[in-house]
Amino acid sequence: MLSAILYLLTVTPFRSIFALVLLLCAGVNLRAQDPDGAARLLAFTGRLSVMRDGTAWALNTGDSVKPQQMIVTGPDGWGVFQVADGSKFEVYPNSKIVFRANRGDWKDFLEVWLGKVRVQIEHFGGLPNNNKVTTPSAVISVRGTTFDVTVEDESATTLVEDEEGVVEVRHLLKSGTRVLTAGESVRIFKNDPLAKALIDRGSIIQKVAKAASDAFYQAALNARNAGSVARGIPGGGTTTTGSGDKNTGTGAPPPLLA
């Protein structure tokens, strides 16, 4: 009997079915651990809040954001969140995003209204883990990859940068679809068809600018943590939101997903 099972697992269709069963079991277990489908804050720095009934409430490490809630960061704010399947997303300064805006469809991962997020989607057994990130001008569909999405201005210009895997970009208001692979990026304008958008295949200038941005942000984190230690506050300082609650810094890691 055991030899028969082992034989079946060596046959490609049966391996796929077995992987699917494992994925479903894992999904049931994860939902049991996190029935609300919330995102947990792993680390942060600066001002990071969640909107509840029109009021900004400060978040601290270990806090959760529920579906349909908006996350807001200040000019110095950054945070990394994780969901039950292991997928993560980072929120950068001056951003406004809604986590799982559509409760009826778990594929709707994030809505980015302003600012920048970095998303890392996990997948099991080589099977797709379909998720969508939307902006006022674009829909970004992924299966298992790492990518950045930036809504650059009030006119909803969207920049999508693919770091790993394959990303499909569709215009929200007009026709057209583009597929990005690792190292490629595309900028979508709200009032222009996607056909006019040019794919940048990893220019040197873009890579240098991105590295400089990451280095600058890392330096800011290091300076903040060093200042906190000098004041005798282990792991970080405090920031206050409009609600009067305080964020207690906890020594955030570099703002790059592992």
Side-chain angles (χ1 to χ4, degrees):
M1 180 64 179
L2 178 60
S3 60
I5 294 175
L6 292 175
Y7 171 75
L8 289 176
L9 293 179
T10 63
V11 182
T12 300
F14 286 98
R15 284 208 308 268
S16 300
I17 293 172
F18 183 68
L20 179 59
V21 171
L22 288 179
L23 179 61
L24 292 174
C25 291
V28 171
N29 183 47
L30 291 170
R31 291 302 300 274
Q33 295 176 10
D34 190 6
D36 294 330
R40 184 169 61 89
L41 179 60
L42 299 181
F44 77 97
T45 187
R47 177 180 289 188
L48 178 67
S49 307
V50 61
M51 300 300 297
R52 297 171 183 161
D53 299 323
T55 302
W57 291 85
L59 290 171
N60 288 288
T61 301
D63 289 347
S64 294
V65 173
K66 295 181 179 180
Q68 299 182 315
Q69 289 184 329
M70 175 177 282
I71 300 168
V72 180
T73 58
D76 61 345
W78 166 85
V80 58
F81 295 82
Q82 186 174 44
V83 298
D85 69 0
S87 297
K88 299 175 185 176
F89 63 93
E90 292 183 52
V91 187
Y92 284 79
N94 294 319
S95 297
K96 294 181 179 180
I97 72 165
V98 179
F99 173 62
R100 297 203 191 281
N102 183 3
R103 277 183 175 270
D105 187 354
W106 289 110
K107 294 178 183 178
D108 287 343
F109 194 47
L110 300 173
E111 285 190 6
V112 184
W113 291 102
L114 186 65
K116 176 182 176 180
V117 296
R118 176 171 291 167
V119 180
Q120 177 182 303
I121 299 297
E122 296 294 336
H123 53 99
F124 300 95
L127 296 175
N129 184 7
N130 296 317
N131 283 268
K132 291 187 295 184
V133 176
T134 61
T135 76
S137 59
V139 179
I140 302 95
S141 300
V142 297
R143 295 185 175 183
T145 188
T146 302
F147 61 99
D148 297 356
V149 176
T150 306
V151 177
E152 298 179 325
D153 48 40
E154 297 295 338
S155 61
T157 303
T158 299
L159 174 65
V160 182
E161 301 169 279
D162 186 16
E163 296 184 18
E164 180 183 348
V166 178
V167 173
E168 181 183 277
V169 182
R170 177 171 58 85
H171 202 294
L172 182 66
L173 305 174
K174 298 181 180 294
S175 61
T177 299
R178 291 295 182 92
V179 176
L180 304 181
T181 57
E184 295 183 337
S185 64
V186 66
R187 183 171 276 105
I188 304 98
F189 297 94
K190 188 174 183 178
N191 297 318
D192 290 346
L194 196 57
K196 293 185 177 181
L198 299 177
I199 293 179
D200 185 343
R201 291 177 170 81
S203 68
I204 295 177
I205 294 178
Q206 178 183 326
K207 290 181 179 180
V208 170
K210 183 175 178 59
S213 175
D214 289 338
F216 175 82
Y217 196 70
Q218 181 60 54
L221 281 175
N222 292 340
R224 173 185 178 275
N225 291 335
S228 298
V229 172
R231 293 193 301 272
I233 303 175
T238 60
T239 59
T240 307
T241 65
S243 65
D245 288 351
K246 290 185 177 181
N247 292 85
T248 302
T250 55
L256 296 178
L257 292 172

